[in-house]
Amino acid sequence: MASHQIAVTALRLAGLFGLVAMVWALRVAVVGGPWWGPVHAFLLGAVTLAIAGAAQMFTVTWSAAPAPPAWIAGLQRWVHSMGVGLVLVGVTTRAVGLTVVGGVAVFAGLGLLGFSLVGAIRHSLLRRFDLSARFYLLALACAGVGVVLGVVMAAGSAGTRYSVLRIVHGHLNLVGFIGFTIIGTIPTLLPTFARHRAVSGREAILAWRLALAAAGAMMAGLLLGERAVAVGSLLASGALTLVVVGLVARLGRTGVRGGLPYLQVVVGCAWLASWAVVDGVRLIGNGGGPVFDRWIAAAVLGGVGQVLLGSLAYLIPVLAGPAPALGANLHRFDRHRWVPLAAANSAALGAVLGAPVVVLVAVGLWSADFTRRLVGVRRTGPSGTDGAMERE
């Protein structure tokens, strides 16, 4: 219950930053301006807070470990949220001091998250989750270095190395932090979606080794340049592909029972793996390229966004409470699954093809559909009764 409360509070904050990102993105699409703001509001704010809440809940639940103290989890959330807010305001207004302070706060928030996870891991009663925990800690290490590089760039201390730092910064956060977190989570999460016991395979161990090599290659890019980052991106794509293909093959038709959450996470991982290959090839052949290109937009929408909202389609009903509300909420998020699937992948495809109208329409439909499902969620009352039904 304590770990669920941590996740609920973190997801509410994540939703707030997600709303900011959507409004900001709409403004940029209509009026113009840099995409840095909405992308960072979504990835650094919404996605990172969602990861923080879910990672703590998963580590506690799957490891049979005690929940971290409430004050540590609360401090982590608010320090991180304050840091993201300062970074967004600081970069937008070109207030270097605010940006640096915000970056330091974000780094501190990640450190508190790591402290919380390590505390749970040390008291774990089930060692089968250890490999996933390693992915989480590796992801946090990548994020920590990525944030430091971001602070260095914001402070104007990058000098002639700015373009290299920018590439390493972006990849450590998107591939390292978000990507490795996904790889570490799905071996347990996908079977959970399908109401199936956890499945294991040697590919997960190989994926861990590839992830370690990928992290090392991306960090080595600070000295060796873009081609080292490209190697890291390609290795990470291989690690993600190994795990997803292994899971899908082992679950077989049973996986389809996972419904919308299962399908969106699998397809989202396919977008991320595809982007990493395209990105690696581009870095090897053409160097840095633009900061936010079509494929990065597709990775954010069809990859990260689809994995996030697909996971929430399962987590929100679980966090809303047990039966009788649980079954109704799971059904609510799963029915008419073709709508979010079509919208999410149309948005990603529209981004790749350079069709902004398609992207806007698809994202609008996707957002409206998710909001409709979310608003109708039933909550289980303290006595185990359905709160929504009681009100009726």
Side-chain angles (χ1 to χ4, degrees):
M1 291 176 64
S3 68
H4 279 206
Q5 187 56 50
I6 290 172
V8 168
T9 309
L11 290 177
R12 286 172 178 166
L13 280 172
L16 177 61
F17 279 102
L19 181 61
V20 170
M22 286 191 58
V23 173
W24 201 338
L26 181 61
R27 182 183 184 279
V28 172
V30 175
V31 180
W35 284 99
W36 181 96
V39 169
H40 278 75
F42 178 62
L43 296 179
L44 186 60
V47 174
T48 304
L49 282 166
I51 286 176
Q56 291 176 93
M57 185 185 73
F58 292 154
T59 303
V60 167
T61 303
W62 292 339
S63 299
W71 70 268
I72 291 181
L75 182 63
Q76 187 276 325
R77 287 191 299 269
W78 290 110
V79 167
H80 183 86
S81 300
M82 179 189 70
V84 175
L86 289 176
V87 168
L88 294 176
V89 173
V91 172
T92 304
T93 61
R94 298 183 181 179
V96 176
L98 280 181
T99 306
V100 172
V101 172
V104 172
V106 170
F107 183 84
L110 293 172
L112 286 169
L113 177 58
F115 178 78
S116 175
L117 294 180
V118 168
I121 293 167
R122 288 178 59 191
H123 295 90
S124 172
L125 298 178
L126 300 175
R127 311 312 306 180
R128 66 188 182 198
F129 190 65
D130 281 2
L131 186 60
S132 294
R134 292 179 187 178
F135 273 103
Y136 288 174
L137 296 179
L138 177 63
L140 282 173
C142 291
V145 177
V147 169
V148 169
L149 295 179
V151 172
V152 170
M153 290 187 292
S157 303
T160 58
R161 303 283 295 169
Y162 182 87
S163 61
V164 174
L165 263 63
R166 183 192 66 189
I167 292 173
V168 177
H169 161 79
H171 282 76
L172 284 176
N173 287 316
L174 183 55
V175 178
F177 178 54
I178 297 175
F180 293 164
T181 299
I182 292 173
I183 297 173
T185 302
I186 57 175
T188 306
L189 192 61
L190 285 182
T192 301
F193 290 161
R195 284 73 159 172
H196 192 282
R197 63 180 178 82
V199 295
S200 61
R202 294 181 180 178
E203 67 274 1
I205 298 175
L206 179 56
W208 165 247
R209 294 170 181 168
L210 289 175
L212 281 175
M218 289 186 290
M219 292 184 188
L222 292 170
L223 298 176
L224 303 179
E226 292 88 350
R227 286 178 173 78
V229 179
V231 171
S233 196
L234 292 171
L235 289 172
S237 177
L240 180 59
T241 302
L242 269 175
V243 172
V244 173
V245 170
L247 287 167
V248 171
R250 282 178 170 78
L251 291 172
R253 294 183 179 179
T254 304
V256 182
R257 285 193 298 187
L260 179 63
Y262 178 87
L263 295 173
Q264 282 209 295
V265 169
V266 169
V267 176
C269 288
W271 275 108
L272 285 172
S274 300
W275 164 76
V277 171
V278 171
D279 175 72
V281 172
R282 183 200 67 187
L283 286 174
I284 291 173
N286 302 320
V291 181
F292 300 116
D293 64 4
R294 296 176 179 180
W295 268 98
I296 291 181
V300 171
L301 293 171
V304 178
Q306 199 161 195
V307 170
L308 175 62
L309 293 188
S311 300
L312 291 179
Y314 178 83
L315 292 177
I316 289 174
V318 170
L319 294 173
L326 178 59
N329 288 333
L330 286 172
H331 176 68
R332 180 177 185 81
F333 273 93
D334 188 50
R335 65 186 178 187
H336 306 304
R337 64 182 69 160
W338 64 270
V339 176
L341 279 169
N345 292 287
S346 295
L349 187 60
V352 172
L353 298 177
V357 175
V358 173
V359 175
L360 285 174
V361 172
V363 170
L365 175 62
W366 190 14
S367 303
D369 176 75
F370 185 81
T371 302
R372 178 186 62 82
R373 296 171 191 262
L374 182 62
V375 169
V377 167
R378 293 182 173 183
R379 296 182 178 275
T380 301
S383 63
T385 58
D386 190 326
M389 293 178 67
E390 285 182 340
R391 288 191 297 271
E392 293 172 1

